[in-house]
Amino acid sequence: MLIRPRRLRKNPIIRELVAETRLSKDMFVYPYFVVPGKGVKHPIDAMPGIFHFSVDMLVKDVAEGLKFGLNKVLLFGVGENKCEDASSAYHHDSLVAQAVRELKKAFGEDIYVITDVCTCAYTTHGHCGILHNDYVQNDETVAILAKMALAHAQAGADMVAPSDMMDGRVCAIRDLLDEHQFVNTAIMSYSIKFASAYYGPFREAADSAPSKGDRKAYQMDFRNPNEMMREAFLDEDEGADILMVKPALAYLDVIQNLSQQTQLPVACYNVSGEYSMVKAAAQAGWIDAQKVIMENMFAFSRAGANIIITYHAREILENNWL
């Protein structure tokens, strides 16, 4: 027998030497939920190990994460004034804007701050845009998203991440940012975002569940692979700097297809439902959390993701699982 593939699996040293997929701490982005108040660090029941933070406590937690190399964060605002026109989303002193300013004041260029741009947590109805006659209005919403992105950039955000799935919002955001001389503020577009059942825990964390109906009229149908690529290429043409697939675990084929067809970096979002399922199974003693988490991370990278947004990032780096 001349060919014995097991020779290269004999021991850990040779397995590490020939590994085709590798992970780096630089690939990870850690999401945070920012709430009003001071001294707040409140656990989110549906997401064990994840918390709501007031701005002051967020700064302290980010300082701890930096010790382990966790230097990229994605911010979500929770608990703002909810109104029909989502005007609190683009207020210059919104929770996200406050958080960005304080993080940049404390850490400067040592921290890379990304902000989620969507109206779902800022509207009374919980939809990702302005609602008329039970239908989300595209162009009216896009104008608000662009103002929201600009407010975040003015506060010091390094990157904005529109997650709404409105048509044309990347172009509108890019134009407004450039008009106000924020040409270096990057855009990571939620380019392929599905109307998914995996978002349940997040909607508790962000207080953003729709009060009626669903989001299938704007988030993507997971049955349509051609439409997925069309959406991504539209965002690329409109000026997105990074393309994202969300969720990640059930869509490894989509990550792979996108990574093979674009020259832009590809991000994936390991979403709340994916996270909470692992945590729940581990707490029940059904799985080994570390092994399953890392297997998932390698799957994302193997599929072609350059960037992994995950609620597991903190424990991976703190425990040196890489």
Side-chain angles (χ1 to χ4, degrees):
M1 191 183 300
L2 296 177
I3 300 173
R4 293 181 181 268
R6 287 186 59 192
R7 292 188 190 108
L8 300 185
R9 300 197 290 266
K10 180 182 177 182
N11 60 40
I13 294 176
I14 187 63
R15 290 196 294 270
E16 287 301 313
L17 179 65
V18 301
E20 299 174 33
T21 304
R22 301 178 186 273
L23 292 171
S24 161
K25 66 179 177 62
D26 297 316
M27 298 173 68
F28 291 101
V29 176
Y30 190 48
Y32 277 102
F33 298 98
V34 189
V35 297
K38 289 187 176 181
V40 178
K41 181 181 178 181
H42 183 266
I44 299 169
D45 291 340
M47 300 177 68
I50 303 300
F51 300 84
H52 287 128
F53 288 95
S54 55
V55 172
D56 58 326
M57 297 300 287
L58 170 71
V59 172
K60 292 180 180 179
D61 201 75
V62 169
E64 287 300 308
L66 282 169
K67 296 176 183 177
F68 304 101
L70 193 59
N71 60 359
K72 293 168 289 295
V73 299
L74 173 61
L75 302 181
F76 295 88
V78 183
E80 294 276 22
N81 248 359
K82 293 178 182 285
C83 51
E84 291 294 321
D85 63 1
S87 57
S88 62
Y90 54 86
H91 193 277
H92 74 278
D93 205 30
S94 70
L95 282 171
V96 171
Q98 292 177 44
V100 172
R101 284 194 291 268
E102 290 303 311
L103 288 174
K104 284 299 182 180
K105 178 181 176 182
F107 309 113
E109 294 302 303
D110 290 335
I111 189 74
Y112 195 88
V113 181
I114 309 166
T115 61
D116 183 80
V117 176
C118 190
T119 66
C120 59
Y122 303 86
T123 54
T124 52
H125 46 73
H127 277 285
C128 301
I130 302 304
L131 200 64
H132 294 316
N133 299 319
D134 291 333
Y135 189 78
V136 172
Q137 305 300 304
N138 192 91
D139 296 4
E140 191 175 345
T141 300
V142 165
I144 290 171
L145 296 169
K147 290 193 285 185
M148 185 178 182
L150 177 61
H152 294 174
Q154 289 170 330
D158 298 291
M159 178 182 288
V160 293
S163 62
D164 54 286
M165 289 303 291
M166 297 298 117
D167 295 337
R169 88 274 206 214
V170 172
C171 182
I173 289 170
R174 185 74 274 160
D175 285 348
L176 192 62
L177 290 175
D178 289 357
E179 179 185 331
H180 287 79
Q181 286 75 55
F182 289 100
V183 296
N184 291 322
T185 303
I187 299 174
M188 175 169 62
S189 173
Y190 290 63
S191 298
I192 303 177
K193 180 180 179 181
F194 298 99
S196 172
Y198 283 97
Y199 304 146
F202 174 91
R203 289 172 181 172
E204 175 185 324
D207 188 23
S208 62
S211 59
K212 59 181 176 179
D214 55 38
R215 292 172 173 154
K216 292 182 179 180
Y218 44 100
Q219 294 180 359
M220 295 193 63
D221 188 329
F222 49 72
R223 300 173 296 179
N224 299 348
N226 291 331
E227 185 185 10
M228 299 169 195
M229 294 302 112
R230 183 183 180 208
E231 283 278 7
F233 297 147
L234 283 170
D235 285 358
E236 184 170 338
D237 290 343
E238 290 179 19
D241 300 287
I242 297 170
L243 305 178
M244 186 204 298
V245 176
K246 179 185 180 182
L249 194 56
Y251 300 96
L252 297 177
D253 60 318
V254 179
I255 297 169
Q256 183 177 51
N257 288 344
L258 181 59
S259 68
Q260 292 173 343
Q261 295 186 56
T262 182
Q263 294 184 347
L264 293 180
V266 173
C268 69
Y269 199 143
N270 179 209
V271 299
S272 60
E274 298 166 346
Y275 171 88
S276 295
M277 287 191 299
V278 170
K279 286 295 186 178
Q283 288 178 350
W286 297 335
I287 62 170
D288 182 312
Q290 177 183 348
K291 290 179 179 178
V292 170
I293 290 166
M294 295 313 297
E295 188 171 337
N296 288 345
M297 297 305 120
F298 276 103
F300 303 144
S301 180
R302 188 181 66 245
N306 311 104
I307 299 161
I308 301 171
I309 305 166
T310 178
Y311 302 98
H312 294 295
R314 182 68 173 265
E315 61 186 316
I316 290 171
L317 298 189
E318 277 191 1
N319 293 306
N320 200 28
W321 289 349
L322 297 178

